[in-house]
Amino acid sequence: MIEEELQIIPEPVKVSLNEGVFLLSQKTTIQVDLTSTGNGEYLKQVLALHYGLNLAFEEPSQNNGRKNSIIFKTSKEKELNNPEKYSLLVSRENITISATTSIGGFYGIQSLLQLIPHKALKGDKISLEISIPCISIEDFPRFKWRGFMLDEARHFFGKKQVKKMLDLMALLKLNTFHWHLTDDQGWRVEIKKYPLLTKIGSKREGTIVAQKKGVISSQKLKVPIDGIPVSGYYTREDFMEIIEYANERYITIIPELDFPGHTMAALAAYPELSCTGGPFEVSTRFGIHRDVFCIGKEEVFEFTQNVLDEVMDIFPSKIIHTGGDEVLRRRWNKCPECQNRINEEGLEGSENLQVYFTNRIADYLSSKGRQLMGWNEILNDNLNKDAICHYWTNNLKLVLQHAIKGRKVVMSEMSAVYLNYPYNLIPTKKTYLYDPIPDEYSKNYEKYILGIEACLWTEFVSNKDTLEWQAFPRLIAIAETGWTPKNKRNFDSFLKRLESFLPLLKAFDVNYPTKEEFLQDQ
Ligand code: ACM
Ligand code: ZN
């Protein structure tokens, strides 16, 4: 197949290979219009960094039909439903990237970069003229949510690594970075109003050596820990810097602050937010902790809203993820204040305290023009209609029932797209074959499934090399699922194209496993 010769990931919607080549060289110029100046700068930078080419800009009016340019065009035709659409035409004379928005233009660049033979990557012998095959591509994504989640609460990787992941996401046309920033084992967001969240909550004394099965009492069980301290957090300024970096790559950052469970780090700092009053420590163990926020106390709502105020001040994304996974009700069952809340609100039992909490927070976010997203445990017949459901496990049927009623859903099936699992449990093929629209799900409801997101939980991922090892190439497979039409996806074709993608990963200094390792158990 022609497309296979072209080696682009994600596979574009429509590609045709034409006769001849375009010769990219030091003499090639870049022409931009008003919409694409940022894209021109980005292309110039990447070509310099990875290919040792230093191209000049040229005004379209100076060109007079001369050849040898990379031309960005913003077309007037309004593709309202598809701002990410682009076309890429490589002829012997010029390369033309057309789109209706600068986002489309950016994705055109990403496809173009993959057409450059990898032997031209710096580090290999730099050729003076790089041959790019003449082709034409028409392309747009299948899903509008193509995400990657990084857990920096369990381990902290820092700005440099996050930027590197954003660079790699851009290459794969992934557009949503979901940032899991708080959990039992660490609080990573500076909040001016509650300084102890980072002073106390961002540090733990070590990490459990061996994972215990089941629910772990964080207070009583003395399981050995490694004694290696873990700490770190982001200031407002750090966030601003990373948000700008993501913006330049058309990536939206969705912050996640996990409430009302997975809150041991917050409770270590402010134990009065719990049912019992504590004291607590930032957890050194994993699993589900029984101490969670007390839903009976108004201070808990005040705290959560104040924290979210600062989060909304930092992050411009409409959607704010507030977690909501794995919340135990044991403390609520015994807490007089929680029981009081149940009686006052007519909630008929502690099983409804979570939706009470979620709805109040969802309403609060709505009043500020934002929208709540939470893990599938937030689902409930009474849940606020605008809340977005993030599916990860267990009750797919329930999730689909809610989607049928019009609720939006993002799919992160644990057994397919959780990148923290070893390759022998989730081989790359399994990840690739997973489709976010379940077979039994009728076409009418496709519009409610916003897309797919890969999750990398880092309980046992303590450094950047392991992080990258776990993510690549499975994240590449997920990027293709998010972008490429379902009927064009093919695992054998993907593997062939992956062969040419791996040198790009190398150029980005990514630590990835061998083919034998990432294809285990097949
Ligand atoms: C999750 O994996 N607890 C969302
Ligand atoms: Zn309580």
Side-chain angles (χ1 to χ4, degrees):
M1 275 295 286
I2 282 166
E3 283 100 303
E4 281 173 18
E5 291 167 25
L6 285 170
Q7 320 280 14
I8 297 174
I9 299 180
E11 171 82 62
V13 173
K14 208 167 142 204
V15 186
S16 53
L17 183 61
N18 306 321
E19 286 284 305
V21 292
F22 174 89
L23 294 174
L24 175 65
S25 72
Q26 199 58 56
K27 290 191 201 125
T28 305
T29 58
I30 301 175
Q31 290 181 38
V32 294
D33 58 16
L34 276 178
T35 314
S36 48
T37 45
N39 282 335
E41 287 292 345
Y42 174 87
L43 177 65
K44 184 177 161 67
Q45 271 174 32
V46 177
L47 289 177
L49 184 67
H50 291 302
Y51 301 93
L53 285 171
N54 190 10
L55 304 194
F57 283 101
E58 184 172 29
E59 289 293 326
S61 55
Q62 292 170 349
N63 184 269
N64 279 334
R66 211 161 45 76
K67 302 188 169 99
N68 201 7
S69 274
I70 301 173
I71 305 165
F72 287 91
K73 277 195 177 144
T74 309
S75 105
K76 300 267 180 311
E77 166 210 4
K78 279 280 167 266
E79 298 276 356
L80 286 179
N81 291 325
N82 247 318
E84 298 183 306
K85 183 173 175 175
Y86 70 90
S87 69
L88 169 64
L89 181 69
V90 180
S91 70
R92 288 191 172 100
E93 291 80 30
N94 291 310
I95 294 177
T96 310
I97 296 173
S98 312
T100 55
T101 68
S102 56
I103 310 172
F106 185 76
Y107 290 143
I109 294 176
Q110 302 310 327
S111 291
L112 173 62
L113 292 174
Q114 292 189 43
L115 291 173
I116 301 177
H118 53 73
K119 63 178 189 305
L121 281 164
K122 254 181 17 180
D124 292 349
K125 203 170 74 212
I126 299 174
S127 22
L128 293 176
E129 282 189 328
I130 300 168
S131 301
I132 301 182
C134 290
I135 45 126
S136 85
I137 294 180
E138 293 285 338
D139 203 12
F140 54 88
R142 177 176 173 208
F143 291 108
K144 64 175 167 217
W145 188 294
R146 304 181 304 281
F148 167 61
M149 187 213 82
L150 180 64
D151 167 13
E152 282 214 278
R154 272 57 176 271
H155 281 97
F156 185 76
F157 303 94
K159 269 195 291 194
K160 187 165 171 235
Q161 186 62 23
V162 168
K163 287 183 178 176
K164 183 172 176 182
M165 294 309 290
L166 292 169
D167 283 337
L168 291 159
M169 285 177 69
L171 204 57
L172 293 165
K173 305 187 177 85
L174 292 167
N175 65 1
T176 307
F177 177 55
H178 167 185
W179 208 352
H180 184 80
L181 288 164
T182 71
D183 214 301
D184 296 310
Q185 298 78 15
W187 182 284
R188 310 281 172 225
V189 192
E190 176 190 46
I191 300 291
K192 304 270 192 210
K193 198 169 180 112
Y194 301 106
L196 300 184
L197 284 172
T198 42
K199 186 154 185 235
I200 292 174
S202 73
K203 300 172 189 157
R204 69 172 189 263
E205 54 190 51
T207 304
I208 190 172
V209 175
Q211 178 71 34
K212 276 255 173 193
K213 281 225 169 83
V215 173
I216 294 169
S217 155
S218 58
Q219 303 307 305
K220 296 203 180 114
L221 254 181
K222 278 291 162 210
V223 197
I225 63 163
D226 61 13
I228 302 168
V230 174
S231 66
Y233 67 90
Y234 293 106
T235 63
R236 253 168 193 269
E237 292 69 33
D238 293 330
F239 283 126
M240 295 302 178
E241 183 183 326
I242 295 173
I243 290 165
E244 188 184 336
Y245 196 83
N247 277 345
E248 288 164 4
R249 285 151 186 76
Y250 302 96
I251 294 170
T252 301
I253 300 185
I254 310 286
E256 180 191 348
L257 289 92
D258 203 343
F259 307 119
H262 285 282
T263 42
M264 291 302 293
L267 292 180
Y270 298 98
E272 61 273 23
L273 300 173
S274 71
C275 290
T276 65
F280 306 105
E281 285 175 1
V282 180
S283 186
T284 52
R285 307 176 175 88
F286 303 110
I288 307 177
H289 295 62
R290 66 185 162 187
D291 284 292
V292 300
F293 278 8
C294 174
I295 310 300
K297 295 188 171 122
E298 274 308 294
E299 301 93 284
V300 163
F301 291 88
E302 224 173 275
F303 170 88
T304 307
Q305 291 174 2
N306 286 336
V307 165
L308 289 173
D309 278 344
E310 293 196 28
V311 167
M312 287 187 278
D313 226 29
I314 298 169
F315 291 93
S317 63
K318 176 160 165 78
I319 297 166
I320 307 286
H321 203 305
T322 56
D325 55 324
E326 302 178 315
V327 188
L328 293 184
R329 301 199 289 264
R330 283 187 211 178
R331 296 296 194 203
W332 296 346
N333 290 337
K334 298 225 168 91
C335 166
E337 284 160 289
C338 284
Q339 292 306 312
N340 210 15
R341 176 79 74 193
I342 292 169
N343 292 335
E344 276 177 5
E345 298 290 335
L347 296 177
E348 298 170 5
S350 63
E351 65 275 19
N352 291 316
L353 281 172
Q354 183 165 358
V355 70
Y356 172 81
F357 175 85
T358 311
N359 281 347
R360 273 189 66 175
I361 301 305
D363 289 345
Y364 186 71
L365 290 175
S366 296
S367 77
K368 306 282 175 186
R370 308 296 180 102
Q371 189 173 10
L372 179 141
M373 175 166 183
W375 298 106
N376 55 248
E377 288 94 323
I378 65 168
L379 284 181
N380 182 295
D381 283 339
N382 297 321
L383 178 65
N384 179 308
K385 291 277 178 294
D386 290 334
I388 298 173
C389 169
H390 194 171
Y391 172 72
W392 69 283
T393 193
N394 276 334
N395 210 335
L396 183 59
K397 263 213 173 92
L398 186 70
V399 170
L400 298 181
Q401 276 167 17
H402 281 266
I404 286 165
K405 290 186 211 151
R407 187 178 302 295
K408 300 278 194 293
V409 181
V410 171
M411 301 296 276
S412 291
E413 167 62 54
M414 174 173 71
S415 65
V417 302
Y418 269 27
L419 304 177
N420 40 294
Y421 284 109
Y423 284 92
N424 61 4
L425 274 184
I426 308 186
T428 306
K429 184 171 186 176
K430 182 168 186 193
T431 303
Y432 187 85
L433 295 181
Y434 169 70
D435 197 88
I437 308 232
D439 284 341
E440 68 273 24
Y441 203 50
S442 128
K443 264 212 162 310
N444 290 341
Y445 304 129
E446 283 196 3
K447 60 178 181 286
Y448 300 119
I449 294 195
L450 296 176
I452 184 168
E453 183 176 301
C455 300
L456 182 40
W457 299 98
T458 59
E459 284 95 330
F460 302 103
V461 176
S462 60
N463 58 65
K464 74 173 188 56
D465 282 346
T466 314
L467 188 170
E468 292 170 7
W469 176 279
Q470 294 297 122
F472 296 100
R474 288 181 294 197
L475 185 59
I476 306 175
I478 292 160
E480 179 144 302
T481 304
W483 184 281
T484 303
K486 190 173 178 179
N487 63 8
K488 286 201 89 182
R489 265 164 55 215
N490 174 297
F491 185 64
D492 292 332
S493 151
F494 171 74
L495 278 187
K496 275 195 200 139
R497 284 176 288 119
L498 189 58
E499 295 278 348
S500 335
F501 197 91
L502 295 178
L504 259 181
L505 285 188
K506 203 173 246 158
F508 276 80
D509 194 26
V510 173
N511 180 48
Y512 57 89
T514 64
K515 202 167 166 181
E516 288 66 39
E517 284 158 330
F518 69 69
L519 292 179
Q520 277 178 55
D521 259 7
Q522 286 179 67

